[in-house]
C-alpha cells in the first residue's frame, strides 16, 4: 500500500533560529512513523543573516524538500499554499521589564477608563473635563490650552499607531473578545497582502 504523507503549514510561522528543519515549518503525519521522523530532521532552509525578519515561501518548497528524500511519496496538503516565516530573536524579556509593562498597561486602562466615564458624563465635552481636572489638581481655573490638551493631542495618534501595529501571535485559551477577533482578521489580511506582494515582485522562495 502506498504511503500518504499529510502536510499542514500555518500562514505565519514564528521561529527563533535561522537554520530551519522541516519540522520547524510544517506538521507532518503518516502511518509510516519512520518516514515522518526522518523528514522532521531534514534541513529545509537557512534564513539570511541580513536583518530581514519576514521570508515568504510557497508550499512547493516543502514538497521539494520531501521529494528529495522520498521521491515517490504521495503528499496531501491540509494547510496554506503560501506562508510566511517570521524570524524573532530567542531572547526572553526579564521579569522586571514584564512587571513594568504590566504596571504601564494597568495605568493606561485605569486613566483611560476614568477619562471615558468623565467625558460620557459631560456629553463628550473634552474641554470641560480637562478644565475640571486641571482645577482639581492645581486649584486654579484653566485659561487656554495646557499640558492636558497637548498630551491628549500627542497621545491619541501614538495610541492609534501602537494599537494597529501590535500584532503578535498568542495562544488564546478562552473565547476571544471582539477586539481579538478583529486583530486576527487584520493579521490574516496583512499576511495575504504581503504574500501577494512578494509573489508579484518575485521575492517568494519557490522550488529551485
Amino acid at each position: 500500500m502506498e504511503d500518504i504523507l499529510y502536510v499542514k503549514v500555518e500562514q505565519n510561522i514564528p521561529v527563533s533560529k535561522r537554520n530551519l528543519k522541516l519540522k520547524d515549518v510544517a506538521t507532518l503525519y503518516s502511518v509510516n512513523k519512520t518516514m515522518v521522523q526522518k523528514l522532521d530532521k531534514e534541513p529545509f532552509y537557512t534564513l539570511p543573516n541580513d536583518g530581514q525578519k519576514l521570508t515568504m515561501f510557497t508550499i512547493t518548497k516543502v514538497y521539494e524538500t520531501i521529494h528529495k528524500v522520498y521521491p515517490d511519496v504521495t503528499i496531501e496538503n491540509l494547510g496554506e499554499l503560501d506562508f510566511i516565516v517570521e524570524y524573532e530573536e530567542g531572547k526572553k524579556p526579564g521579569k522586571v521589564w514584564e512587571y513594568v509593562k504590566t504596571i504601564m498597561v494597568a495605568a493606561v486602562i485605569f486613566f483611560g477608563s476614568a477619562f471615558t466615564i468623565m467625558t460620557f458624563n459631560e456629553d463628550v465635552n473634552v474641554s470641560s473635563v480637562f478644565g475640571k481636572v486641571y482645577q482639581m489638581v492645581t486649584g486654579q481655573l484653566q485659561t487656554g490650552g495646557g499640558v492636558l490638551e497637548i498630551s491628549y493631542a500627542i497621545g491619541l495618534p501614538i495610541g492609534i499607531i501602537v494599537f494597529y501595529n501590535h500584532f503578535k501571535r498568542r495562544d488564546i485559551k478562552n473565547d476571544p473578545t471582539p477586539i481579538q477577533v478583529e486583530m486576527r482578521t487584520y493579521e490574516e489580511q496583512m499576511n495575504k497582502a504581503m504574500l501577494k506582494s512578494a509573489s508579484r515582485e518575485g521575492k517568494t522562495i519557490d522550488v529551485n
Side-chain angles (χ1 to χ4, degrees):
M1 184 176 179
E2 185 180 17
D3 290 329
I4 300 177
L5 179 66
Y6 297 94
V7 178
K8 184 178 181 181
V9 178
E10 300 295 336
Q11 191 178 67
N12 188 298
I13 305 170
V15 297
S16 57
K17 58 183 180 180
R18 296 191 180 276
N19 296 321
L20 303 179
K21 296 186 181 300
L22 196 56
K23 67 178 181 180
D24 296 322
V25 298
T27 301
L28 308 178
Y29 174 79
S30 175
V31 293
N32 188 340
K33 302 300 182 183
T34 303
M35 177 176 63
V36 172
Q37 292 174 358
K38 185 175 182 179
L39 287 173
D40 279 341
K41 300 176 182 178
E42 190 68 19
F44 174 69
Y45 188 79
T46 300
L47 299 176
N49 190 15
D50 57 359
Q52 181 178 347
K53 292 187 176 182
L54 300 179
T55 308
M56 288 67 170
F57 294 89
T58 67
I59 192 63
T60 51
K61 185 65 177 177
V62 177
Y63 294 170
E64 180 188 42
T65 304
I66 295 172
H67 283 146
K68 284 181 181 179
V69 185
Y70 294 94
D72 300 324
V73 67
T74 300
I75 302 175
E76 291 287 344
N77 181 28
L78 304 179
E80 300 289 337
L81 297 178
D82 301 291
F83 59 96
I84 300 171
V85 172
E86 182 177 358
Y87 175 75
E88 300 175 347
E89 295 290 343
K91 298 179 181 179
K92 294 183 178 180
K95 290 186 177 180
V96 175
W97 176 238
E98 291 294 327
Y99 289 140
V100 170
K101 289 195 295 184
T102 302
I103 294 173
M104 291 175 60
V105 171
V108 170
I109 294 175
F110 174 79
F111 289 108
S113 301
F115 177 75
T116 302
I117 294 171
M118 286 188 292
T119 52
F120 174 78
N121 292 331
E122 292 288 336
D123 289 333
V124 200
N125 190 343
V126 178
S127 298
S128 176
V129 172
F130 284 157
K132 291 181 179 180
V133 171
Y134 184 86
Q135 184 179 7
M136 181 176 60
V137 174
T138 65
Q140 301 175 357
L141 292 175
Q142 184 179 12
T143 56
V147 65
L148 293 177
E149 285 79 3
I150 295 175
S151 301
Y152 180 77
I154 295 175
L156 185 62
I158 291 178
I160 294 173
I161 293 173
V162 171
F163 175 80
Y164 282 104
N165 283 277
H166 184 64
F167 296 101
K168 186 175 181 181
R169 188 175 296 275
R170 291 186 177 91
D171 295 329
I172 301 174
K173 297 181 180 179
N174 300 321
D175 293 338
T177 63
I179 192 63
Q180 288 173 325
V181 172
E182 290 299 324
M183 290 176 66
R184 297 300 173 266
T185 301
Y186 181 88
E187 183 179 13
E188 291 179 1
Q189 293 175 348
M190 182 176 61
N191 289 336
K192 290 179 180 179
M194 288 190 296
L195 288 169
K196 288 183 179 180
S197 177
S199 178
R200 291 175 181 175
E201 297 174 3
K203 295 181 180 180
T204 304
I205 298 177
D206 209 331
V207 293
N208 295 326

